[in-house]
Amino acid sequence: MNAREIYDPDNRWRLRHPAEKAVFAGGMLLLSVAAPSGVVLGVVLATVTATTLLLAAVSWRKFAGGMAAPFGFLLVGAIPVLVASGVNPDTQEAEWRLDVAAAGHLVLRGLTATACLVSFATTTSLPEFLGLLRAIRCPEVLTEWMLLTYRFSQSLLLTVASAHLAQQLRLGLGSPRARVRAAGLLGANLLPRSFEKAKRLERGLECRGYDGQLRTLSPRRRVSWPVLGLVVAVQILLAAWAVAAGRGNL
Amino acid sequence: MHIMEGYLPVTHAVGWGIASGTILTYCVWSVGRSLRSRPQDKFLLAASSAYMFTLSALKLPSLTGSCSHPTGVGLGAVLFGWRPMVVSGFIVLLFQALLLAHGGLTTLGANLFAMGIAGAWVARGVYSLARTARLPFRVATFLAAALGDLATYVVTAAQLAWAFPDPAGGFVASFTKFLGVFAITQVPLAVAEGLLTVLVMNALMAY
Amino acid sequence: MSEPILEARNVEYAYPGGIVGLAGVTLAVDAGEKLALLGANGCGKTTLLLSLCGVLKPRSGEVRLSGRLVEYTRAGLRNLRQRVGTLLQDADDQLFAGSIYEDVSFGPLNLGCTEAETRQRVEQALAAMELTDLGDRPPYRLSGGQKKRTALAGVAAMKPAVILLDEPTANLDPHASTDLLALLDQMHGQGTTIVFSTHDVDLAYAWADRIAVLDGGRVSACGSPEEIFGDGQAVRGSGLRTPWVLDVVNALQPSALWPSELRPPRTPAALVKQLAAMRIENVR
Amino acid sequence: MSEPILEARNVEYAYPGGIVGLAGVTLAVDAGEKLALLGANGCGKTTLLLSLCGVLKPRSGEVRLSGRLVEYTRAGLRNLRQRVGTLLQDADDQLFAGSIYEDVSFGPLNLGCTEAETRQRVEQALAAMELTDLGDRPPYRLSGGQKKRTALAGVAAMKPAVILLDEPTANLDPHASTDLLALLDQMHGQGTTIVFSTHDVDLAYAWADRIAVLDGGRVSACGSPEEIFGDGQAVRGSGLRTPWVLDVVNALQPSALWPSELRPPRTPAALVKQLAAMRIENVR
């Protein structure tokens, strides 16, 4: 757990089965990518945002934090679409114009899809997600690799935070040049440190009977079928609406 | 550099998903087999994936002052070969999406292709070429990391141009536009990543 | 005399690079005792613990479990780890899973327990360590004391006959360390043998049944706390001081205020209590 | 009365999420003193230290350096950190360079020292911390005590007027912690002001000139060690015990063996020495 991770440990869905959260966010994500109409996108965006903030009680700070960074990238990425060159039908000459509709739609779609992702990320911890992957029989190589990656990245992020603080205290972040030097030192020495931690963990787990496999049992949680049914029903309705709206556009 | 969630049309998302998924499946199988004979590598590989993710979660200073992140794929490709880097790239991209809402799930296939697959191939290829050309180790590492990074950026621009061709100029015009928009951050970043990779290699030699 | 439960005979170990870790250690651990391995940093305490649990393979000499030679095969090590649990100094080196519950389940699953059996053991261990409410938490979000208890729960769930602990109270604040010792005492009361390494003479003196002093990769002295610190000899050689409770008693003793037949207390708290109880005024 | 070198006036701080870190702390550090911030975990010690060195910006209240208000601008913070060095609790994470030498050189280079000046300062600091022979080592290959000394060398090389230390002896074995305190005493002897946080009442009692007890983000008491522990009041409120040495003295005192006009010693060693010197036999 670190400052940048957007998972909200106090969300009201933390004890829900991850499958419910995955179906909710995943279904909405598919809808937002596939829906051709801006109105449907708007409805999906509103539904996901409201559900996450009101029902799951995710702190709006976490939610907004999750939305903020991608938003900037979304805008920058839309510039090439916004600035379209076209052929003037009267003069038959190429000219520049602003394709606000296309760019706007792209930004809205990106925003809606990002809201779905943020909804899942704020309500579901990575270990829960890994439990889900194990349940659907994802290859062990991959789940174990992810588990260890998560484990190591948690401790590396703590290390980075302390080292960063120590550098700050020793005037390391004063000038741009000092900043680059400080980041270079930290970045370069983090990998050997990470390897060191890896070796120590392997030995520590050996003491606990590690023989090449990282078996664990997740805490018991039950899927609530009524909730799952409701989620799927809403999504089917939205999909039907999207199909109807899409036909109107064609 | 990633394509954000929701940016790609369905057909593109599915297409890149299948392409990258196939290569990823092969790599998981292949790395899994070699891990069976060298189980201790599991921890080291995960430690380097964690390093890649950590770097990407950091705000490193770049010349333009924007928030940016090196990929670490070049470094890993030199250390471990390209196959583990495809898996590693997948994990890092997935973590970025699920932990930081950076990148995305529907764009995961496209992003993996650009970063994990193209990036690792180019990095590994450049490294091998540079070593055959008897370039010094540090130069080879620098080139591998920097060009691997550039490859990621070029492929991403191409993916976006393909998805959003210019109404008049088509793919080529759009490709140029996307290359242009991202060049400001990505070119200096590639150089920075090359330099950082050399520093890391120095630190590793001491280790 | 009954068979020692765990035993090192002439164990030698050298780290890659030739640094000697153990220079011939012979030590028997009796079932049910609390044995302290006492020594300064670098004396070989950790190396000895890692040799006793099979992580390090001695260059020469043997490790015996209930009299039988430990074999460094998969089955042999599995058998050893079923009976001997180890808690390293840094709890972070032993915690890896995404939640405390998952982490504690690791050991029992490695022993080949069924799912039902594993869940039962996990819940039992979490309850014993007062962690039940934290089961869903990721281990990284815990305090130092909670991490240590989680790691101990992971060991306890394997139901070992012997627990080896490397510097159990290092890095813990006094409150957390009192808690941990109480939990260990509880396990000890249920029959678990405890071997712990420490550089803290006060802790060894207060808490061990028997102390083995390590110095330069060798056991330089071994005996009851009274024997070890009694003549001041064993301790002086190895750079360790006397527990200060004893120092105070020794300073009082020439005055006959502290009758020499009175056994010195083990902890500062007991000393203060005894001083108060003696109503020294009467002596005057 | 002379100006305090560092001062907090009504400093309040709340962490994001609204958790109160400091609820109005007023505290003056006098030049040349050794001040202990004593309190249980979570009482605000670390938050106060981080506020005093400008890492945390108070929500309200002010921090003053030699009487002048600290400004949270680049220049203001630079000026503050040039005069006030800080040693964080976890030495491991404070060392980020590839070798000890490189790490220690970080601060002086940031101060804008020339290469020659930097080298001189690094070598001086390494010599003072008895690390000269280890200059080439990567930090993760060091013992806990060596790491701590390296981090201290990194601070010392910047020649600050005040050093803030967060739990300086936590995680250190008694030997390493004695070493560290001796090195700090040496710096103190050369005029450095020392402020340290600790939850160890024995350490605060033995080593501080003055103690500020922190409780719930407030300074609940402040005074000399004798004043703080004398009446037992200040301590009882904040969940801290009395130092053992005082407990023993208090237990002896009703017997008049320990004349009440005799100042109680600060350390166990001093107590033992005094008991021996008193030749209690004569009293009898």
Side-chain angles (χ1 to χ4, degrees), chain C residues 41 171 173-174 199 244 247-248 251-252 254-257 268-269 271-272 275-276 280-281 284, chain D residues 41 171 173-174 199 244-245 247-248 251-252 254-257 268 271-272 275-276 280-281 284:
Chain C
N41 286 347
N171 313 2
D173 66 43
H199 55 243
W244 82 262
D247 272 342
V248 171
L252 289 170
S255 68
L257 274 180
L271 170 69
V272 170
L275 284 177
I280 302 179
E281 279 163 300
R284 200 181 66 186
Chain D
N41 286 347
N171 313 3
D173 66 45
H199 55 243
W244 291 122
V245 179
D247 271 344
V248 171
L252 288 171
S255 69
L257 273 179
L271 170 69
V272 170
L275 284 176
I280 303 179
E281 277 161 303
R284 198 181 65 187

Side-chain angles (χ1 to χ4, degrees), chain B residues 17-182:
Chain B
I18 292 174
S20 295
T22 314
I23 298 173
L24 175 68
T25 310
Y26 160 72
C27 291
V28 168
W29 172 80
S30 149
V31 175
R33 212 181 42 169
S34 59
L35 278 180
R36 232 162 286 150
S37 53
R38 294 176 52 84
Q40 65 275 25
D41 281 0
K42 190 190 292 182
F43 282 70
L44 292 184
L45 283 172
S48 64
S49 306
Y51 172 75
M52 283 166 64
F53 172 70
T54 306
L55 276 195
S56 76
L58 288 185
K59 285 182 180 165
L60 287 182
S62 76
L63 300 177
T64 53
S66 76
C67 159
S68 49
H69 43 80
T71 65
V73 166
L75 173 71
V78 171
L79 281 178
F80 298 106
W82 71 270
R83 288 179 194 86
M85 277 315 105
V86 173
V87 186
S88 218
F90 169 71
I91 293 176
V92 170
L93 287 167
L94 186 68
F95 276 29
Q96 287 178 349
L98 292 180
L99 298 178
L100 312 174
H102 195 89
L105 297 175
T106 60
T107 52
L108 191 58
N111 286 332
L112 178 59
F113 199 91
M115 184 178 114
I117 299 168
W121 274 346
V122 168
R124 189 65 201 186
V126 167
Y127 178 73
S128 303
L129 270 178
R131 292 305 275 169
T132 4
R134 296 181 183 282
L135 288 179
F137 176 70
R138 282 176 194 181
V139 177
T141 319
F142 172 81
L143 288 176
L147 294 178
D149 221 25
L150 279 182
T152 302
Y153 145 68
V154 172
V155 172
T156 307
Q159 287 170 327
L160 285 169
W162 193 8
F164 304 102
D166 190 90
F171 174 82
V172 177
S174 183
F175 183 48
T176 325
K177 282 189 289 181
F178 277 109
L179 275 183
V181 164
F182 292 114

Side-chain angles (χ1 to χ4, degrees), chain C residues 225-254:
Chain C
E226 288 79 9
E227 286 166 356
I228 292 296
F229 295 109
D231 56 4
Q233 290 294 330
V235 172
R236 215 164 296 146
S238 49
L240 296 167
R241 56 178 181 79
T242 13
W244 82 262
V245 176
L246 263 186
D247 272 342
V248 171
V249 170
N250 289 340
L252 289 170
Q253 222 156 36

Side-chain angles (χ1 to χ4, degrees), chain A residues 26 29 60 79 90 115 127 131-133 143 148 156 165 167-168 176 199 206 217 225:
Chain A
L29 180 58
W60 68 267
I79 293 172
D90 298 332
L132 203 58
L133 286 187
T143 52
L148 290 175
L156 283 182
L165 181 56
Q167 290 184 330
Q168 192 184 343
K199 275 202 287 192
E206 236 177 87
L217 274 182
W225 295 106

